[in-house]
Amino acid sequence: MSSSPELFVTGATGQLGRLVIDALLERLPAGALAAGARDPSKDAALAMREKGVEVRLADYARPETLETALIGVDRLLLISGSEIGQRRQQHRNVIAAARNAGVSLVAYTSGLHADTSPLFVADEHRDTEAALAESGLPFVLLRNGWYSEVFTWRLPLALKTGTLIGAAGEGRISPAARADYAEAAAAVLAGGDHAGRTYELAGDTSFTLAELVSLASEIAGKPIAYKDMTPDELKASAINAGLPEMFALMLSGTDAGIAKDALFDNGGALARLNGRPTTPIQSTIRSFIQSSPSPQSDSRS
């Protein structure tokens, strides 16, 4: 193994992790970084090596890989895992390895207002935050709001049918681009005294799903309406459309949380960390629509 890096990013080949590595490379030399990957042979891992970043095997579900990966690491970014329902133990595996390695700071990508959030995915975030507190390790909580990109996946069907269905009522959402959150994580990892702090990170502006639909309609130049329903109706509609039951449950549960403003925050912490305004949702929608095939020409329909 090469000389010890200062910073280690878990889940570095994921969508957020890749952006964090790029943001760190703007601040620090490649030799100061190491990237953790469940599969170091992935193209994303190879691309990082080409930039001079060391890639180490680090599988949340295999504690022995974590113990080896974190040798010599000073600061660690624990990016929350993607396997909902398994993250409690997986995150605790990382925290235990960090404690054994003598890591001086752990930054964790938690969820917005995780301590009070009604979203069921917040349970695992609360457990990880508790595990960090129990570990005795210095840590900082990066409570990320929703990514703007999460909302664009609902647009193709809406553009095709002219209707976006949801159960969010008048609840407001304050998302930011994934790159905004990555830049904030890099800023925290790269320097400053952040131990013991909790950052509620969200976009500068907020909107309802109905307002999102209006924006998308204007940008796409096509009429789209928002149809609000109950969470149970949304879940049933999603299942009838062929979505897996767990996915339908997440969709309806998230919208129910949005109705209670679970994804709303106007504190401005993300913009302050980055030293600039967050990316407008209009920019994300425009980029998505411009890069997507026209629904009329989609042969899969």
Side-chain angles (χ1 to χ4, degrees), residues 25-88:
L25 285 172
E26 295 178 0
R27 294 167 168 82
L28 299 168
L33 312 179
R38 182 165 53 184
D39 181 1
S41 67
K42 291 179 68 172
D43 289 345
L46 298 177
M48 289 176 194
R49 288 194 181 96
E50 290 176 356
K51 297 175 183 178
V53 176
E54 181 183 356
V55 179
R56 299 179 177 180
L57 172 63
D59 188 332
Y60 292 176
R62 297 169 58 195
E64 71 278 5
T65 69
L66 301 169
E67 295 285 349
T68 301
L70 296 185
I71 292 175
V73 170
D74 181 46
R75 281 166 283 169
L76 167 69
L77 176 64
L78 169 53
I79 294 179
S80 57
S82 60
E83 297 177 294
I84 295 174
Q86 301 181 47
R87 297 189 292 183
R88 283 181 173 84

